[in-house]
Amino acid sequence: MDGNATRFVVIGAGMGGLAAAIRLAARGCAVTLVEAQDMPGGKMRTLPSSAGPVDAGPTVLTLRAVFDDLFALAGARLEDHLTLLPQRILARHWWPDGSRLDLTGDPETDAAAVAAFSGPGEALAFRRFDRLARALHDAFEGPVIQAPHPDLAAILKATLTRPVLWRALLPGQSLHGLLARQFRDRRLVQLFARYATYVGGRPAHVPGVLALIWRAEAAGVWAVEGGMHRLALALADLARRLGVDLRLSTPALRVVRQGGRICGVQLASGATLPCAACIFAGDPAALVAGHLGPGLGDALPPSATQPRSLSAWVWSFAAIPEGPLATDLVHHNIFFPADTSGEFGPLGRGDMPETPTLYVCAEDRSAGRPQGPERFEIIVNAPPGRTDQPEDFARCHARTFQTLRMLGLRFLPEPGPQALTTPAMLDRLFPGSGGAIYGRSPEGTFAAFARPPARTKVPGLYLAGGGAHPGAGVPMAALSGRHAAEAVMADLTFPSMSGRTAMPGGISTPSPTTGPAR
């Protein structure tokens, strides 16, 4: 790496920060990536168990091409660094009445499964819904998902020429409302409405356009052999090989401004890293709350971070599953209650769901059932901003494991408090988040337009991560890193001059002297 190359600092080694650092380094930039935790991955974190590290965050990979592109930047192939296991069954869905439904992503196979599950009329309804979701995904992928910010003109053009989309885009049309008009079987409404929670919203409050998430998942789901955290480790290794100075266990204390723009990042150690620009890949709400120093509250409008998305109680543990359902678990398992009012009603009031939907990831089932203890992650939706209550562990334990026992699934042993991540713990791990996993809430007709893009109002300060556009999820966070890196490259002047970084506005900063700079 050229010692005189323009230096950038990325804060946060989650998917957005890793992707941004890799892209900048691939363009020949000198990049320092600082991460407060002792492992890369951000929310792609793990907890220890008797069967090895068990995931406590994302569980599968979608939109694989996003990551193939990242590895290609370094002249590498993803499959040479990770073993991805394609999932023939996207998810197995269970109900208290004993019914269950597998979906595969293949329209014909899924229509036949829906017909056997709910009758030929609902199979026709599924085909209509699948076509609608596909059309929504095709219409919004370019102007929203792939674009650096939502392109309203392109969205309008795409929707005006596709009347099939209009029923999903009516003002006030929620995802639940759209599905209730599509299906008569309430179980199918429950199933497809769950995609609202994938981005941190409640089905009756998110716009109908989020039906497109079904087609994003149906396009392919992969598990990572060994767990999703292996993806973060592989990307961190890729970043290092491109010359990124990755510093773990290195919290950032303050983003430094000079002359109205960003000029450095002060670390908790007291050292300061001068930089031409900083990409903050944490929750944007942390900037507004002053966690990166005073004077950054004007970087974003309040609507960019409020209201907050859902949080979660997350169980991560190893156990031996027993009972009638134990042999039938696949990687993705979703256990629905008979009625979702006992879930989303309490969530809206800031309380624990009385009858939650339980997402059970059998992490080691991707390649068949292993011998001995298996690793499991169970997710229960939670409200953001909730502090730990003395009774929460017992309540969450009962509503998770008692419910599963009644359905025919037991775990030996059942996990204790050390296996549970709470909303308050997530807030401490990711300051300013309030425990919200997905950043700003997706609820409301124009929520997608309120999420902040890569550029902030402070020159030299950029955003990446699931709290920035295009939104939550592993591939989306990685795409935000691309948008941030491209914005930085477009905005700053290259190359550097005599060991000093040339910056717009006539400001220059010396090369770093407060720590190793590789």
Side-chain angles (χ1 to χ4, degrees):
M1 182 68 66
D2 179 2
N4 290 332
T6 302
R7 180 162 293 279
F8 304 104
V9 175
V10 179
I11 301 174
M15 288 298 102
L18 285 166
I22 288 169
R23 290 184 175 277
L24 288 172
R27 292 286 297 270
C29 301
V31 183
T32 300
L33 173 56
V34 297
E35 166 59 48
Q37 304 303 317
D38 60 2
M39 292 290 289
K43 294 185 179 71
M44 194 176 285
R45 47 188 285 272
T46 65
L47 290 181
S49 81
S50 61
V54 56
D55 285 329
T59 56
V60 290
L61 184 66
T62 58
L63 302 182
R64 172 182 168 165
V66 173
F67 297 93
D68 285 323
D69 289 346
L70 272 178
F71 280 87
L73 287 173
R77 299 191 311 163
L78 183 152
E79 56 266 32
D80 292 335
H81 299 268
L82 289 170
T83 299
L84 297 187
L85 305 170
Q87 299 301 290
R88 184 181 63 83
I89 299 174
L90 302 179
R92 179 162 286 169
H93 309 86
W94 316 71
W95 283 267
D97 62 4
S99 58
R100 81 182 196 192
L101 176 63
D102 292 350
L103 292 179
T104 67
D106 176 73
E108 295 304 316
T109 301
D110 291 342
V114 171
F117 175 77
S118 194
E122 292 298 79
L124 290 175
F126 167 76
R127 290 180 185 275
R128 290 193 296 269
F129 171 72
D130 183 67
R131 288 194 296 269
L132 172 60
R134 188 187 301 271
L136 286 167
H137 185 273
D138 292 347
F140 280 77
E141 181 179 20
V144 177
I145 297 173
Q146 298 291 340
H149 52 79
D151 185 338
L152 184 58
I155 294 170
L156 290 173
K157 181 178 179 181
T159 56
L160 287 174
T161 57
R162 302 184 187 186
V164 68
L165 303 180
W166 295 351
R167 65 180 181 273
L169 303 176
L170 293 172
Q173 175 70 284
S174 71
L175 178 60
H176 183 274
L178 176 71
L179 294 168
R181 291 174 177 83
Q182 198 79 24
F183 297 105
R184 294 184 177 181
D185 190 329
R186 59 168 179 76
R187 296 171 299 175
L188 296 175
V189 175
Q190 279 182 303
L191 191 160
F192 292 107
R194 74 184 173 90
Y195 288 108
T197 66
Y198 276 28
V199 290
R202 295 167 295 167
H205 298 266
V206 302
V209 68
L210 291 187
L212 63 82
I213 299 175
W214 155 245
R215 281 314 308 174
E217 184 171 81
V221 168
W222 290 264
V224 178
E225 187 175 67
M228 280 292 287
H229 60 282
R230 295 285 183 88
L231 173 61
L233 294 175
L235 289 174
D237 182 63
L238 183 67
R240 289 187 182 101
R241 286 191 287 114
L242 286 169
V244 173
D245 178 11
L246 174 55
R247 305 186 190 184
L248 301 174
S249 302
T250 305
L253 180 66
R254 187 168 67 97
V255 177
V256 183
R257 295 174 73 169
Q258 174 187 342
R261 66 169 296 119
I262 301 306
C263 64
V265 173
Q266 183 182 5
L267 306 178
S269 65
T272 298
L273 302 175
C275 61
C278 171
I279 297 176
F280 177 62
D283 195 308
L287 297 175
V288 178
H291 288 287
L292 272 297
L296 297 176
D298 58 349
L300 302 166
S303 61
T305 60
Q306 298 293 334
R308 306 302 290 160
S309 72
L310 292 177
S311 184
W313 284 280
V314 183
W315 299 95
S316 304
F317 62 99
I320 295 176
E322 292 189 345
L325 303 188
T327 59
D328 294 334
L329 294 175
V330 293
H331 188 86
H332 262 185
N333 307 272
I334 298 141
F335 293 85
F336 289 105
D339 181 6
T340 58
S341 63
E343 178 174 20
F344 296 111
L347 284 174
R349 299 190 297 270
D351 202 358
M352 183 183 295
E354 296 164 3
T355 54
T357 298
L358 300 174
Y359 167 74
V360 178
C361 176
E363 187 175 322
D364 297 311
R365 293 290 178 104
S366 301
R369 185 178 182 181
Q371 298 295 319
E374 303 178 44
R375 293 174 295 173
F376 291 94
E377 179 180 352
I378 302 179
I379 300 176
V380 181
N381 287 319
R386 181 182 175 86
T387 58
D388 286 332
Q389 306 295 319
E391 67 276 12
D392 276 359
F393 171 77
R395 293 172 66 200
C396 190
H397 194 278
R399 293 176 189 183
T400 302
F401 296 100
Q402 184 175 320
T403 299
L404 291 173
R405 286 197 301 270
M406 292 173 62
L407 294 172
L409 179 62
R410 301 186 302 276
F411 296 97
L412 297 177
E414 289 185 348
Q418 74 282 355
L420 181 63
T421 301
T422 69
M425 293 168 65
L426 289 169
D427 183 43
R428 291 192 292 271
L429 285 168
F430 308 104
S433 69
I437 298 175
Y438 313 92
R440 189 195 188 279
S441 171
E443 297 181 2
T445 302
F446 299 104
F449 296 90
R451 191 175 291 271
R455 289 183 177 91
T456 72
K457 295 181 179 180
V458 176
L461 179 62
Y462 300 81
L463 300 177
H469 174 80
V474 174
M476 298 301 181
L479 284 173
S480 77
R482 186 189 80 188
H483 297 327
E486 289 177 349
V488 167
M489 297 297 290
D491 291 351
L492 298 187
T493 303
F494 296 90
S496 61
M497 301 180 297
S498 303
R500 297 178 71 83
T501 301
M503 301 169 61
I507 303 169
S508 62
T509 62
S511 298
T513 58
T514 54
R518 297 189 294 275

